[in-house]
């Protein structure tokens, strides 16, 4: 691209600020998620009639090196209709990449779409020049290598588009895929594996009458003004639930244990997952950043956008021929159902879930050398009557910095959500929620009015990264901020006050 980052920011921000109507839209919460339901014009299929697809595992072109082409392709998502997806290698979800801890993975992305793209490895501990900073664009026809050292424990990561101001529509069109990190510690555990280890990417979409994705962009070309029409400023909620790109799919399973890597890749929808009939429920073995110290049993899983739950379901508690439905207790009508399992037969099963999974050292508040507060809300900044989503009352600026933590330190960050729910993602740095058995995380779910204290550990690399709301419509409408990890270690504990809001 010929524009500098500073010039590009000025152009895209100016377009964003005038997008929408003079009223600025209303804060909307639907089915316990921030957003408005967009109803499909296409006829949606009966649930549980389409088999569950599993994304293919990408083969390296040589050890540790992968190539992916981002391109448009026509696929059948709704039976009898064709949908144009923007896919990694032309598929949705994209191919799964599998890496090993400490072995550098290089992924070369070629952009054959008609718009710029950015690739972010969500959950990766990655140097800043390879993190997928929103302004580091790959122009149409260009290519870029992303280098991932992956000096981190085994975990369910995912990669997705992160283009400034256009992340929402570009992910919605299909730019998302799994990246699994494996290590010796996890391999030594007797967990389900092979065909009984299954990634589940849950998304919601709406469809136009011709089967195309319906999304309320101000400019559907994604080359002009960014943003969505005013009624969807709180978020875009689809009425069709997809798992691995298939509508309400069905999966045949043995009466045995299965490991499911569950990812909520929706733009704005939160889920509260449960099994019907309940049976043994879910045994959680991992979260965003890898294995827990010990398994945790759940009857329900509340999962916000970008969060991951690594769970085991023991289908031996059900009889052959029995149907088990994965439901969404936050949904209504079609969105209250996710997918179905059909137990087919008894089968040998040598897997187990041990009482100890990994060595996870809990952080304490005494580890923190500084405290900071970040409020995620709508307000504090307006332009032409459009009220923006902000962090501490300020919209995203490519040049602004809200924190300068020191490499090798721990800080306590107090995150607050206002107006509607906000899932907060912090790049680079894993964190813990004190008193919670979630292990290491990179995304935390906050309901309207909620507050979370997180202990953030800054390790690996110096440089500029972002924290943002992972409601992608909020992110595109400026709910994002920069922080810079620096070399100097502070000598004493400090508390950073909230900066004043600016109009």
């Amino acid at each position: 691209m010929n524009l500098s980052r500073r010039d590009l920011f000025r152009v895209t921000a100016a377009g964003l600020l005038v997008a929408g109507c003079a009223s600025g839209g209303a804060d909307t919460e639907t089915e316990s998620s921030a957003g408005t339901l967009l109803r499909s014009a296409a006829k949606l299929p009966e649930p549980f009639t389409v088999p569950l697809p599993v994304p293919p595992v990408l083969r390296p072109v040589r050890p540790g090196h992968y190539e992916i082409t981002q391109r448009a392709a026509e696929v059948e998502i709704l039976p009898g209709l064709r949908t144009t997806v923007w896919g990694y290698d032309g598929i949705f979800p994209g191919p799964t990449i599998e890496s090993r801890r400490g072995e550098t993975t290089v992924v070369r992305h070629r952009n054959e779409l008609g718009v710029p793209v950015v690739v972010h490895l969500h959950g990766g501990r990655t140097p800043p020049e390879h993190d997928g900073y929103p302004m580091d664009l790959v122009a149409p026809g260009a290519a870029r290598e992303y280098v991932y050292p992956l000096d981190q424990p085994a975990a369910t990561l995912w990669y997705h588009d992160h283009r400034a101001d256009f992340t929402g529509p570009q992910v919605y069109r299909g730019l998302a895929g799994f990246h699994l990190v494996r290590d010796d510690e996890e391999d030594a555990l007797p967990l389900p594996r092979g065909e009984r280890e299954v990634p589940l990417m849950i998304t919601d979409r709406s469809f136009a009458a011709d089967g195309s994705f319906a999304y309320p962009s101000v400019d559907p070309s994604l080359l002009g003004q960014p943003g969505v029409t005013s009624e969807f400023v709180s978020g875009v909620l689809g009425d069709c639930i997809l798992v691995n790109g298939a509508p309400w799919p069905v999966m045949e399973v043995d009466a045995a244990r299965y490991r499911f890597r569950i990812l909520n890749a929706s733009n704005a929808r939160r889920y509260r997952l449960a099994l019907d009939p309940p049976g043994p429920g879910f045994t959680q073995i991992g979260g965003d950043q890898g294995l827990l110290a010990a398994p945790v049993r759940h009857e329900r899983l509340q999962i916000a956008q970008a969060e991951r739950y690594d769970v085991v379901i023991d289908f031996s508690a059900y009889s052959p021929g029995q149907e088990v439905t994965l439901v969404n207790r936050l949904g209504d009508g079609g969105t209250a159902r996710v997918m179905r399992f059909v137990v087919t037969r008894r089968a040998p099963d040598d897997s187990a879930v041990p009482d100890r999974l990994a060595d996870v050292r809990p952080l304490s508040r005494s580890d923190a050398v500084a405290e900071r507060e970040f409020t995620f809300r709508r307000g504090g900044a307006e332009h032409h009557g459009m009220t923006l989503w902000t962090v501490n009352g300020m919209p995203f600026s490519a040049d602004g910095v809200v924190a300068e933590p020191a490499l090798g330190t721990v800080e306590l960050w107090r995150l607050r959500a206002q107006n509607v729910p906000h899932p907060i993602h912090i790049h680079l740095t894993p964190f813990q929620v004190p008193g919670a058995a979630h292990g290491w995380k990179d995304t935390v779910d906050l309901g309207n009015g909620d507050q979370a204290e997180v202990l953030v550990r800054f390790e690996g690399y110096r440089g500029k990264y972002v924290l943002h709301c992972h409601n992608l419509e909020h992110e595109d409408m400026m709910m994002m901020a920069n922080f810079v990890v620096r070399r100097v270690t502070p000598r004493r504990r400090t508390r950073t006050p909230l900066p004043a809001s600016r109009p």
Side-chain angles (χ1 to χ4, degrees):
M1 301 293 284
N2 294 324
L3 292 175
S4 70
R5 286 189 198 173
R6 184 186 297 266
D7 290 338
L8 178 66
F9 171 75
R10 269 201 301 268
V11 172
T12 57
L16 174 63
L17 293 174
V18 299
C21 67
S23 66
D27 300 330
T28 305
E29 190 168 337
T30 305
E31 299 178 17
S32 297
S33 299
T36 300
L37 188 67
L38 178 60
R39 297 196 179 277
S40 294
K43 178 178 172 55
L44 301 179
E46 288 295 318
F48 321 131
T49 56
V50 177
L52 174 76
V54 177
V57 175
L58 188 63
R59 293 183 177 180
V61 294
R62 62 183 187 276
H65 289 254
Y66 297 84
E67 293 183 355
I68 291 176
T69 299
Q70 301 187 31
R71 58 184 177 87
E74 284 197 353
V75 301
E76 184 175 290
I77 296 177
L78 303 182
L81 295 175
R82 306 298 290 178
T83 302
T84 299
V85 303
W86 290 4
Y88 295 113
D89 281 348
I91 61 174
F92 167 56
T96 297
I97 300 173
E98 293 193 359
S99 301
R100 290 204 68 82
R101 178 179 187 174
E103 297 181 4
T104 297
T105 293
V106 179
V107 185
R108 184 178 187 270
H109 280 266
R110 178 168 182 79
N111 179 15
E112 292 187 357
L113 298 169
V115 301
V117 298
V118 176
V119 182
H120 171 52
L121 179 58
H122 186 117
R125 302 178 194 176
T126 306
E129 64 271 23
H130 299 289
D131 184 59
Y133 186 76
M135 315 301 283
D136 289 345
L137 304 180
V138 183
R144 178 174 183 147
E145 281 192 346
Y146 293 87
V147 180
Y148 304 126
L150 295 175
D151 184 15
Q152 61 188 100
T156 303
L157 310 183
W158 64 301
Y159 62 104
H160 63 81
D161 189 80
H162 212 281
R163 176 189 171 197
D165 304 337
F166 292 94
T167 297
Q170 296 190 182
V171 171
Y172 196 92
R173 295 189 188 191
L175 292 175
F178 283 98
H179 190 138
L180 308 183
V181 180
R182 301 187 182 277
D183 65 13
D184 293 342
E185 182 180 32
E186 182 187 80
D187 288 348
L189 300 175
L191 299 170
R193 61 191 67 208
E195 292 185 352
R196 294 179 183 168
E197 180 188 346
V198 184
L200 299 178
M201 179 186 289
I202 304 175
T203 60
D204 61 330
R205 298 289 187 266
S206 297
F207 295 87
D210 62 358
S212 60
F213 286 132
Y215 186 87
S217 292
V218 171
D219 180 354
S221 75
L222 308 189
L223 290 171
Q225 288 186 0
V228 292
T229 56
S230 60
E231 64 268 37
F232 293 96
V233 295
S234 286
V236 179
L237 303 176
D239 61 355
C240 181
I241 304 300
L242 306 179
V243 184
N244 293 348
W248 299 290
V250 61
M251 177 186 180
E252 293 186 347
V253 294
D254 296 332
R257 295 181 191 87
Y258 281 72
R259 176 182 183 178
F260 295 102
R261 298 175 180 262
I262 303 174
L263 159 66
N264 179 358
S266 300
N267 279 32
R269 184 177 292 278
R270 305 155 83 213
Y271 300 85
R272 184 175 295 149
L273 303 175
L275 296 175
D276 182 22
F282 308 95
T283 300
Q284 184 186 359
I285 58 173
D288 296 346
Q289 286 283 306
L291 294 172
L292 305 182
V296 178
R297 296 190 180 276
H298 302 275
E299 290 186 4
R300 293 173 295 277
L301 296 174
Q302 181 142 320
I303 181 168
Q305 306 94 284
E307 285 189 304
R308 285 89 71 207
Y309 275 89
D310 200 339
V311 303
V312 172
I313 300 175
D314 187 356
F315 291 105
S316 68
Y318 301 98
S319 302
Q322 193 166 3
E323 297 177 341
V324 183
T325 304
L326 183 64
V327 299
N328 171 28
R329 299 297 187 198
L330 297 181
D332 181 53
T335 61
R337 295 170 289 188
V338 178
M339 66 173 293
R340 176 166 287 171
F341 304 100
V342 178
V343 182
T344 58
R345 64 188 179 95
R346 300 286 179 191
D349 183 7
D350 60 358
S351 70
V353 179
D355 293 335
R356 180 192 175 279
L357 296 167
D359 183 15
V360 180
R361 184 185 78 83
L363 299 177
S364 70
R365 286 177 174 81
S366 63
D367 294 320
V369 300
E371 296 183 12
R372 306 181 195 271
E373 295 183 358
F374 301 99
T375 298
F376 296 78
R377 68 184 179 96
R378 191 159 180 235
E382 293 188 5
H383 196 82
H384 292 283
M386 182 70 174
T387 304
L388 302 179
W389 297 102
T390 61
V391 181
N392 286 352
M394 295 181 291
F396 176 67
S397 164
D399 300 318
V401 176
V402 297
E404 294 187 48
L407 187 66
T409 66
V410 173
E411 294 191 356
L412 188 149
W413 286 10
R414 190 170 292 106
L415 311 175
R416 304 177 190 273
Q418 295 180 6
N419 304 98
V420 291
H422 299 289
I424 309 305
H425 172 48
I426 305 174
H427 284 221
L428 173 71
T429 54
F431 60 79
Q432 293 180 5
V433 182
H438 299 309
W440 289 102
K441 289 184 62 62
D442 56 52
T443 307
V444 62
D445 181 20
L446 298 178
N448 179 20
D450 284 354
Q451 171 183 303
E453 291 185 342
V454 300
L455 291 165
V456 191
R457 186 174 69 190
F458 299 91
E459 59 183 7
Y461 306 98
R462 294 180 295 118
K464 184 165 68 171
Y465 296 87
V466 292
L467 69 153
H468 60 86
C469 177
H470 222 286
N471 178 314
L472 298 185
E473 283 70 52
H474 296 182
E475 176 185 339
D476 284 346
M477 288 185 287
M478 301 296 202
M479 190 171 262
M480 180 162 57
N482 293 309
F483 66 94
V484 175
V485 181
R486 57 189 173 84
R487 184 187 299 276
V488 179
T489 302
R491 295 182 179 179
R492 64 183 185 276
R493 182 183 178 92
T494 61
R495 184 181 186 278
T496 302
L498 284 172
S501 298
R502 69 183 186 197

